[in-house]
Amino acid sequence: MASLRSLLPYLRRHPAALAGLVLLTLQVAAIVFAPVLSTHSPVEADPLSSLQPPSLEHWFGTDVSGMDIYSRIIHATRINLLISISAVALALALGVPMGLLIGYYRGIVSSLMMRLFDFIQSFPVFVLGMALVSVMGQEIWNVAIVLAVLFTPMFARLIRAEVLSLRERPFISAARCSGATDFSIMFQHILPNALTPAIVQVSISIGMAILLTAGLSFIGAGVRMPTPEWGLMVSSGAQQMILGVWWVSLFPGLAIVLSVLCFALLGDAVKDLSDPTTRTRQ
C-alpha cells in the first residue's frame, strides 16, 4: 500500500507515465478479452469481402484475403507481446548471471565472452535475425529465441559494468573480511545493487522487441500467415497503399506505434522511480 500511495502522486505529476499505464492497460485487456472484443475470426478469410473500407460491419476494414483487420489487430496483441516479453525475459534470465560472472571473475573466460558479445552485436540486427529464423524455422517461439539471442549481450554488458564498479566498493571488502563466499558476495551483496539498470532496460527492450518482431515479419522472416501479427499485416497491405487502400497498413501500423510508445513511456517512469535523486527532488 505504501508503494501504491507513492505511485499515485507520481502519476498525477507525470501525465506521460499515466498515458503509458493506460496504454498498457488497454493492451492487457486486448490480450485477456480478445475473443470477446473481436467481432470476427482473426484467421478466417472471406474473398467476397476483400479490401472493404472501414464500416459498421468491419470497423477497420478488411485485407486482401477478406479477413477483418480490427479482429486481427486485437488478437495480434497477444502474439506480439508474447514474443516480445518472452524474448526479453529470456534475455534477462541469461544476461544477468552471465554479466555477474564475467564482471566478478576477470580473466580469459571473461574476455572471450566479451568478444562473443562483440561478434553478435557487430551484425546488423535484421541480417542476423533473418539468418537465425531461416535456420530455426518461422515459428513464434523461434522468433522469441532469436530476439533473446540478440538482447542477451545488452543485459550482460549492463550488469557487468555495474559489477565492475561495485566489486571494489568498501562494503564488498568488508563482506570478504567477514568470511563471505564469492557466491554470497555476488548474489547477496552485488546483484541487488546492480539490477536497477537492467530493470529500467526491460521496458525499453520490450518496445525494441516489438519493433524487431514486426520488422522481421514485414520482410518475411518472422511470423507466417495467417497468424495475426502487426508487422505481417502492415506488409500485406503495403502493396495496396499506392492504390488508395490505406486502412490495411494504417491501423496495424498505429498499433505498433502505440505499443512501442507505451513501453518507452513506462521505461522513463521506471527510470525516474528508481533514481533516488529524482525521488528526492520530487
mmCIF file of all heavy atoms in Angstrom, residues 163-181:
data_model
loop_
_atom_site.group_PDB
_atom_site.id
_atom_site.type_symbol
_atom_site.label_atom_id
_atom_site.label_comp_id
_atom_site.label_asym_id
_atom_site.label_seq_id
_atom_site.Cartn_x
_atom_site.Cartn_y
_atom_site.Cartn_z
ATOM 1 N N VAL A 163 28.805 -4.442 -11.992
ATOM 2 C CA VAL A 163 29.600 -5.327 -11.122
ATOM 3 C C VAL A 163 31.036 -4.841 -11.032
ATOM 4 O O VAL A 163 31.648 -4.853 -9.951
ATOM 5 C CB VAL A 163 29.541 -6.778 -11.642
ATOM 6 C CG1 VAL A 163 30.509 -7.676 -10.872
ATOM 7 C CG2 VAL A 163 28.120 -7.318 -11.528
ATOM 8 N N LEU A 164 31.609 -4.409 -12.150
ATOM 9 C CA LEU A 164 32.983 -3.916 -12.141
ATOM 10 C C LEU A 164 33.139 -2.722 -11.197
ATOM 11 O O LEU A 164 34.190 -2.538 -10.575
ATOM 12 C CB LEU A 164 33.404 -3.521 -13.560
ATOM 13 C CG LEU A 164 33.638 -4.664 -14.540
ATOM 14 C CD1 LEU A 164 33.938 -4.120 -15.927
ATOM 15 C CD2 LEU A 164 34.757 -5.580 -14.070
ATOM 16 N N SER A 165 32.085 -1.915 -11.102
ATOM 17 C CA SER A 165 32.135 -0.768 -10.194
ATOM 18 C C SER A 165 31.912 -1.193 -8.745
ATOM 19 O O SER A 165 32.598 -0.732 -7.829
ATOM 20 C CB SER A 165 31.078 0.260 -10.613
ATOM 21 O OG SER A 165 30.968 1.302 -9.666
ATOM 22 N N LEU A 166 30.954 -2.111 -8.531
ATOM 23 C CA LEU A 166 30.568 -2.481 -7.168
ATOM 24 C C LEU A 166 31.594 -3.376 -6.481
ATOM 25 O O LEU A 166 31.746 -3.311 -5.250
ATOM 26 C CB LEU A 166 29.204 -3.187 -7.191
ATOM 27 C CG LEU A 166 27.999 -2.320 -7.550
ATOM 28 C CD1 LEU A 166 26.764 -3.193 -7.788
ATOM 29 C CD2 LEU A 166 27.718 -1.310 -6.436
ATOM 30 N N ARG A 167 32.304 -4.210 -7.235
ATOM 31 C CA ARG A 167 33.192 -5.196 -6.614
ATOM 32 C C ARG A 167 34.366 -4.545 -5.875
ATOM 33 O O ARG A 167 35.015 -5.202 -5.052
ATOM 34 C CB ARG A 167 33.707 -6.194 -7.646
ATOM 35 C CG ARG A 167 34.703 -5.631 -8.625
ATOM 36 C CD ARG A 167 35.000 -6.600 -9.759
ATOM 37 N NE ARG A 167 35.451 -7.892 -9.287
ATOM 38 C CZ ARG A 167 36.708 -8.194 -9.000
ATOM 39 N NH1 ARG A 167 37.639 -7.265 -9.136
ATOM 40 N NH2 ARG A 167 37.044 -9.397 -8.591
ATOM 41 N N GLU A 168 34.644 -3.286 -6.144
ATOM 42 C CA GLU A 168 35.743 -2.593 -5.469
ATOM 43 C C GLU A 168 35.256 -1.688 -4.332
ATOM 44 O O GLU A 168 36.058 -0.968 -3.741
ATOM 45 C CB GLU A 168 36.528 -1.748 -6.487
ATOM 46 C CG GLU A 168 37.041 -2.526 -7.700
ATOM 47 C CD GLU A 168 37.981 -3.655 -7.321
ATOM 48 O OE1 GLU A 168 38.614 -3.563 -6.244
ATOM 49 O OE2 GLU A 168 38.081 -4.634 -8.084
ATOM 50 N N ARG A 169 33.965 -1.714 -4.053
ATOM 51 C CA ARG A 169 33.429 -0.843 -3.006
ATOM 52 C C ARG A 169 33.819 -1.358 -1.614
ATOM 53 O O ARG A 169 34.041 -2.555 -1.420
ATOM 54 C CB ARG A 169 31.900 -0.770 -3.107
ATOM 55 C CG ARG A 169 31.385 -0.190 -4.425
ATOM 56 C CD ARG A 169 31.550 1.311 -4.459
ATOM 57 N NE ARG A 169 31.044 1.870 -5.717
ATOM 58 C CZ ARG A 169 29.778 2.234 -5.894
ATOM 59 N NH1 ARG A 169 28.899 2.080 -4.920
ATOM 60 N NH2 ARG A 169 29.408 2.751 -7.047
ATOM 61 N N PRO A 170 33.870 -0.473 -0.634
ATOM 62 C CA PRO A 170 34.266 -0.885 0.728
ATOM 63 C C PRO A 170 33.348 -1.949 1.329
ATOM 64 O O PRO A 170 33.819 -2.808 2.078
ATOM 65 C CB PRO A 170 34.191 0.428 1.518
ATOM 66 C CG PRO A 170 34.426 1.495 0.496
ATOM 67 C CD PRO A 170 33.782 1.002 -0.753
ATOM 68 N N PHE A 171 32.033 -1.903 1.033
ATOM 69 C CA PHE A 171 31.158 -2.885 1.673
ATOM 70 C C PHE A 171 31.417 -4.297 1.142
ATOM 71 O O PHE A 171 31.159 -5.283 1.838
ATOM 72 C CB PHE A 171 29.681 -2.489 1.501
ATOM 73 C CG PHE A 171 29.129 -2.660 0.109
ATOM 74 C CD1 PHE A 171 28.466 -3.832 -0.242
ATOM 75 C CD2 PHE A 171 29.247 -1.641 -0.834
ATOM 76 C CE1 PHE A 171 27.922 -3.985 -1.503
ATOM 77 C CE2 PHE A 171 28.724 -1.793 -2.099
ATOM 78 C CZ PHE A 171 28.059 -2.966 -2.446
ATOM 79 N N ILE A 172 31.953 -4.419 -0.077
ATOM 80 C CA ILE A 172 32.321 -5.731 -0.604
ATOM 81 C C ILE A 172 33.587 -6.224 0.091
ATOM 82 O O ILE A 172 33.708 -7.409 0.445
ATOM 83 C CB ILE A 172 32.524 -5.676 -2.125
ATOM 84 C CG1 ILE A 172 31.225 -5.237 -2.813
ATOM 85 C CG2 ILE A 172 32.978 -7.022 -2.665
ATOM 86 C CD1 ILE A 172 30.064 -6.179 -2.579
ATOM 87 N N SER A 173 34.538 -5.326 0.310
ATOM 88 C CA SER A 173 35.750 -5.696 1.062
ATOM 89 C C SER A 173 35.397 -6.125 2.477
ATOM 90 O O SER A 173 35.977 -7.087 3.019
ATOM 91 C CB SER A 173 36.720 -4.510 1.099
ATOM 92 O OG SER A 173 37.099 -4.135 -0.215
ATOM 93 N N ALA A 174 34.437 -5.433 3.081
ATOM 94 C CA ALA A 174 34.010 -5.808 4.429
ATOM 95 C C ALA A 174 33.359 -7.191 4.430
ATOM 96 O O ALA A 174 33.559 -7.984 5.367
ATOM 97 C CB ALA A 174 33.033 -4.769 4.965
ATOM 98 N N ALA A 175 32.600 -7.492 3.385
ATOM 99 C CA ALA A 175 31.971 -8.813 3.278
ATOM 100 C C ALA A 175 33.026 -9.905 3.140
ATOM 101 O O ALA A 175 32.899 -10.988 3.728
ATOM 102 C CB ALA A 175 31.005 -8.844 2.100
ATOM 103 N N ARG A 176 34.085 -9.632 2.364
ATOM 104 C CA ARG A 176 35.168 -10.610 2.223
ATOM 105 C C ARG A 176 35.869 -10.832 3.563
ATOM 106 O O ARG A 176 36.192 -11.971 3.931
ATOM 107 C CB ARG A 176 36.172 -10.129 1.183
ATOM 108 C CG ARG A 176 35.673 -10.153 -0.256
ATOM 109 C CD ARG A 176 36.833 -10.045 -1.233
ATOM 110 N NE ARG A 176 36.361 -9.934 -2.609
ATOM 111 C CZ ARG A 176 36.242 -8.795 -3.264
ATOM 112 N NH1 ARG A 176 36.558 -7.654 -2.663
ATOM 113 N NH2 ARG A 176 35.805 -8.781 -4.511
ATOM 114 N N CYS A 177 36.114 -9.735 4.269
ATOM 115 C CA CYS A 177 36.807 -9.859 5.560
ATOM 116 C C CYS A 177 35.974 -10.631 6.585
ATOM 117 O O CYS A 177 36.517 -11.271 7.489
ATOM 118 C CB CYS A 177 37.140 -8.471 6.115
ATOM 119 S SG CYS A 177 38.358 -7.571 5.128
ATOM 120 N N SER A 178 34.653 -10.572 6.441
ATOM 121 C CA SER A 178 33.788 -11.296 7.379
ATOM 122 C C SER A 178 33.657 -12.767 7.029
ATOM 123 O O SER A 178 32.959 -13.503 7.740
ATOM 124 C CB SER A 178 32.399 -10.656 7.405
ATOM 125 O OG SER A 178 31.758 -10.804 6.142
ATOM 126 N N GLY A 179 34.307 -13.195 5.947
ATOM 127 C CA GLY A 179 34.304 -14.605 5.579
ATOM 128 C C GLY A 179 33.244 -15.000 4.584
ATOM 129 O O GLY A 179 33.006 -16.199 4.375
ATOM 130 N N ALA A 180 32.585 -14.037 3.932
ATOM 131 C CA ALA A 180 31.549 -14.360 2.949
ATOM 132 C C ALA A 180 32.173 -15.021 1.726
ATOM 133 O O ALA A 180 33.260 -14.651 1.278
ATOM 134 C CB ALA A 180 30.804 -13.093 2.531
ATOM 135 N N THR A 181 31.495 -16.007 1.165
ATOM 136 C CA THR A 181 31.978 -16.696 -0.034
ATOM 137 C C THR A 181 31.710 -15.838 -1.265
ATOM 138 O O THR A 181 30.927 -14.874 -1.235
ATOM 139 C CB THR A 181 31.276 -18.046 -0.193
ATOM 140 O OG1 THR A 181 29.861 -17.820 -0.371
ATOM 141 C CG2 THR A 181 31.498 -18.920 1.035
#
